Amino acid sequence: MTTQSPIAWRRLAYKVAMMPQRESHYDFPSWTHLGEPEESEDNVRAYLLKAKGHVVGYLAAHDTDYHRSWDLVDESPFGDADDTVRPRIELIWVADAYRRQGVGAMLVHALADDFGCPVAEVSWSTPISRSGRQLARRLSPGGIWVS
């Protein structure tokens, strides 16, 4: 969904965005587009995955043109800057009962497919949690883009 999707969808995204906010003690939810539908310059969007009548996965993203490569080794430096426009993952959340079942991977693949790029071209916002790094390594063993 985008910032121009029907309000019912945007409200659902906001409700789901409250779950990782509470779970991880973030200051604010990652989806806040509840006003009038509006175009976003950086293509803000959310992906929801539903199973058995419940949303079990959520990914918030937007497009950006500032990235650095990273080999996913703790404490290793980031590579040179790159200005290619890529989709950037702001946040991925999966319900406890559905973790380690491929839900996060499905969400990242949906983002890459929607953008029209390989999964290895998706950028990840930093910092990346331990479970996020594990997911990134599975999807992009050669390294990732970070921004």
Side-chain angles (χ1 to χ4, degrees), residues 28-144:
F28 52 89
S30 55
W31 183 267
T32 58
H33 304 279
L34 297 174
E36 290 297 316
E38 60 185 4
E39 193 171 321
S40 64
E41 288 182 22
D42 55 354
N43 194 19
V44 172
R45 57 208 180 274
Y47 297 81
L48 302 175
L49 184 65
K50 195 174 181 181
K52 298 181 183 178
H54 300 283
V55 175
V56 299
Y58 165 77
L59 184 148
H62 72 273
D63 299 339
T64 187
D65 63 358
Y66 180 79
H67 318 277
R68 299 175 83 85
S69 60
W70 186 38
D71 61 12
L72 289 165
V73 176
D74 289 335
E75 308 298 324
S76 69
F78 295 150
D80 293 332
D82 182 277
D83 63 358
T84 303
V85 175
R86 292 183 173 86
R88 176 186 185 204
I89 298 169
E90 286 294 319
L91 183 130
I92 298 176
W93 173 84
V94 176
D96 281 343
Y98 288 84
R99 291 181 182 163
R100 302 229 179 268
Q101 296 180 31
V103 172
M106 283 191 274
L107 290 165
V108 176
H109 279 283
L111 172 65
D113 290 348
D114 188 40
F115 188 81
C117 72
V119 169
E121 290 297 309
V122 169
S123 187
W124 300 66
S125 63
T126 57
I128 304 172
S129 68
R130 182 180 52 80
S131 57
R133 284 192 306 272
Q134 290 171 343
L135 173 61
R137 276 188 194 101
R138 263 194 325 273
L139 296 175
S140 243
I144 61 171

Side-chain angles (χ1 to χ4, degrees), residues 11-21 48 55-58 93:
R11 283 185 182 143
L12 177 60
Y14 178 77
K15 183 178 175 182
V16 174
M18 300 285 286
M19 292 181 221
Q21 179 196 11
L48 302 175
V55 175
V56 299
Y58 165 77
W93 173 84

